Amino acid sequence: MNIELIPAIDIINGQCVRLTKGDYNQKKVYNNNPVEVAIHFEELGFKRLHVVDLDGAKSKHIVNDGVLKEITKATNLIVDFGGGIKTKDDIEKAFEAGASMVTIGSVAVTNRQLFLEWIEIYGAERLILGADVRNGMISINGWKEDSSEELLPFLKQYVDKGVSNVLCTEISKDGTLQGPAINLYKDIMKAYPKLHLIASGGVSSNEDITDLDNAGIPAVVFGKAFYEGKIDIKSLTI
């Protein structure tokens, strides 16, 4: 299996949770201690971890950098962190708390110049462009607002500037366990074959991961399927 497997920890009030389609009213708490969850992922053999500050996404500034710091101190996982990174202060907090990479979504839509500055300052390899999609359009601010940006042209402006890491979430699939939007990811890879595309949303089984792997998708993030016991990690080659 060539696909990179990246488990996710979503944080609200310091707890490990999952939402359905980004709806804060459809929240399920899986563990009160995200650090324990991160340690368990490392013990299972994972190398990467995707951490989302849902409080931060909602309040438009980093909230859970303290939890991030605890995770990066307690493990050797390569952690990418997103949610609420809107300013230089936010991005510095994330890196200071031990993030290896940060996921930037809304700023890349609302303040293109600032995102381009961050590419210059921190390097494209430390930034993941968050492309959250609903009905073919980019969504921002914790998926609460839809922008006027279409997915492929939106990606092109940053691929042309050296961005190679993209996390694409199909919002209608997220947390539903209904299978990933494979055709969407195939379209992205067809347009930009050199992207390190991370598929996100809808993964419900080992078969979904195998299908993404067979489609040539470089990486996948999953959360709910793991927490609900629908993925058998031991039968996947990490």
Side-chain angles (χ1 to χ4, degrees):
M1 185 170 280
N2 296 314
I3 195 166
E4 183 180 22
L5 305 174
I6 309 172
I9 294 177
D10 292 0
I11 302 168
I12 291 179
N13 297 329
Q15 298 173 311
C16 175
V17 307
R18 290 297 288 170
L19 306 181
T20 299
K21 299 183 183 179
D23 184 351
Y24 285 75
N25 294 317
Q26 295 188 63
K27 178 183 78 174
K28 186 169 182 179
V29 178
Y30 287 101
N31 194 302
N32 289 321
N33 189 338
V35 181
E36 282 182 3
V37 179
I39 291 169
H40 180 54
F41 281 135
E42 187 172 43
E43 288 170 349
L44 287 171
F46 291 103
K47 301 289 188 279
R48 279 278 302 273
L49 179 66
H50 177 60
V51 176
V52 183
D53 183 353
L54 289 173
D55 293 312
K58 195 174 186 179
S59 58
K60 302 186 182 181
H61 61 85
I62 280 188
V63 174
N64 287 295
D65 51 309
V67 179
L68 169 63
K69 193 169 189 176
E70 288 179 44
I71 288 172
T72 58
K73 274 189 168 183
T75 72
N76 291 310
L77 292 165
I78 298 166
V79 180
D80 72 79
F81 181 85
I85 298 175
K86 308 288 188 188
T87 64
K88 190 170 188 291
D89 184 50
D90 288 323
I91 198 171
E92 290 286 348
K93 272 186 184 177
F95 285 135
E96 284 168 12
S100 298
M101 292 172 276
V102 293
T103 302
I104 309 294
S106 301
V107 165
V109 175
T110 61
N111 193 339
R112 185 171 183 267
Q113 191 54 45
L114 180 59
F115 186 62
L116 292 174
E117 282 176 23
W118 287 352
I119 293 172
E120 290 292 320
I121 295 168
Y122 302 105
E125 70 282 353
R126 297 190 76 191
L127 302 178
I128 300 171
L129 176 60
D132 301 326
V133 186
R134 181 161 38 212
N135 301 321
M137 310 300 282
I138 298 293
S139 185
I140 60 173
N141 292 329
W143 304 348
K144 297 194 176 311
E145 300 170 39
D146 291 329
S147 76
S148 58
E149 297 271 2
E150 290 184 42
L151 174 62
L152 293 179
F154 170 73
L155 294 179
K156 185 179 190 305
Q157 64 181 322
Y158 292 121
V159 169
D160 289 349
K161 297 292 184 179
V163 168
S164 60
N165 299 306
V166 171
L167 173 72
C168 183
T169 302
E170 169 49 74
I171 295 169
S172 68
K173 299 278 190 180
D174 190 67
T176 64
L177 300 175
Q178 292 176 355
I182 290 180
N183 289 334
L184 173 71
Y185 305 129
K186 282 182 178 176
D187 289 345
I188 295 171
M189 292 306 298
K190 187 177 178 182
Y192 311 112
K194 293 182 180 177
L195 271 189
H196 186 75
L197 176 65
I198 307 167
S200 170
V203 171
S204 65
S205 64
N206 286 34
E207 288 74 22
D208 286 340
I209 293 172
T210 301
D211 288 346
L212 287 165
D213 187 40
N214 290 339
I217 310 306
V220 59
V221 162
F222 54 86
K224 194 169 190 175
F226 174 84
Y227 297 119
E228 302 265 336
K230 297 182 182 296
I231 292 176
D232 176 17
I233 297 301
K234 291 185 174 62
S235 67
L236 294 170
T237 304
I238 298 177

